[in-house]
Amino acid sequence: MGYQLYYALGSASMGVRVLLEEIGAEYELIDSTIDRSKPRPEGQLAVNPNGWVPVLVWDDGAMYECAAITIFLCDRHPEAVLSPDFATPERALFLQTLVYFSNSIQNAFQLDYYPDRFADTRDQESSAQRRGLRRLRETWQVIDDQIGDNEWLLGDQFSAADIYLFMLTTWLKPERGQPRVEEFANVKRIANKVRQRPSVQKVYA
């Protein structure tokens, strides 16, 4: 089964592409952009009128939102063993962590990068950005504490959650006042291991 992935460098679509590589699925990349001043492909907007990537399309369906796509692909390709079995306690932690990434860490990035979405006036945008920088440290610390001494984010088994973690670490920009990944030793340890995987080497070359 093949997929089309609306794709832009520096976006969450890169994490989905790594996942497709890990699965070994056939896929086609359709160039898009995260530059809000540039137009998006019509096919992308037909699925996601917000204009964001990733958007994943397959024979009889389409969807957006990185966390949702991650869960969907893991469930659709159980042979890749990229998510915990439904009957295990780790399954709940897997779902919790992906939603936390999407709702908390990605939201903190948005506060910094797109403060106009959270402020009524231009004068209030700097306050939104400051809150975003604080939230980035707070939310990454939660994940660092969650990892603890684990081999991987969820425990002993590599999963799509580790791919998602790595993807988010690549967004950190200390020059903007965002934390350095080195501030979170456990996060950095996991990210360094994920970076060595052939799928990541290909996508993030």
Side-chain angles (χ1 to χ4, degrees), residues 30-43:
I30 302 177
D31 288 337
S32 185
T33 180
I34 56 175
D35 185 338
R36 291 190 291 172
S37 68
K38 295 181 179 179
R40 269 63 166 177
E42 290 184 6

Side-chain angles (χ1 to χ4, degrees), residues 72-94:
F72 169 79
L73 286 173
C74 289
D75 289 350
R76 201 173 195 222
H77 297 275
E79 71 283 355
V81 195
L82 289 170
S83 63
D85 185 84
F86 287 92
T88 65
E90 290 78 16
R91 178 70 181 188
L93 184 60
F94 173 70

Side-chain angles (χ1 to χ4, degrees), residues 4-51:
Q4 290 181 319
L5 176 64
Y6 287 87
Y7 185 79
L9 294 177
S11 75
S13 60
M14 296 185 75
V16 174
R17 185 183 175 192
V18 171
L19 193 57
L20 290 168
E21 286 287 336
E22 288 280 345
I23 290 168
E26 294 182 3
Y27 65 90
E28 173 191 1
L29 297 179
I30 302 177
D31 288 337
S32 185
T33 180
I34 56 175
D35 185 338
R36 291 190 291 172
S37 68
K38 295 181 179 179
R40 269 63 166 177
E42 290 184 6
Q44 175 185 337
L45 292 173
V47 178
N48 184 1
N50 299 293

Side-chain angles (χ1 to χ4, degrees), residues 112-180:
D112 183 27
Y113 285 115
Y114 307 109
D116 55 298
R117 295 177 180 173
F118 302 90
D120 290 330
T121 66
R122 186 175 295 274
D123 290 343
Q124 295 173 332
E125 290 181 13
S126 60
S127 176
Q129 284 183 304
R130 288 193 298 272
R131 181 56 180 148
L133 296 177
R134 291 197 302 272
R135 282 296 291 158
L136 281 171
R137 283 189 165 81
E138 293 165 1
T139 52
W140 276 114
Q141 189 60 58
V142 168
I143 293 297
D144 199 67
D145 292 342
Q146 176 182 319
I147 295 168
D149 296 329
N150 287 348
E151 181 72 15
W152 296 100
L153 179 51
L154 303 182
D156 295 333
Q157 182 70 41
F158 171 77
S159 76
D162 298 294
I163 295 171
Y164 211 129
L165 176 146
F166 170 80
M167 175 192 76
L168 292 176
T169 64
T170 68
W171 296 359
L172 287 168
K173 299 291 186 290
E175 64 271 19
R176 292 181 61 93
Q178 296 174 5
R180 297 179 179 275

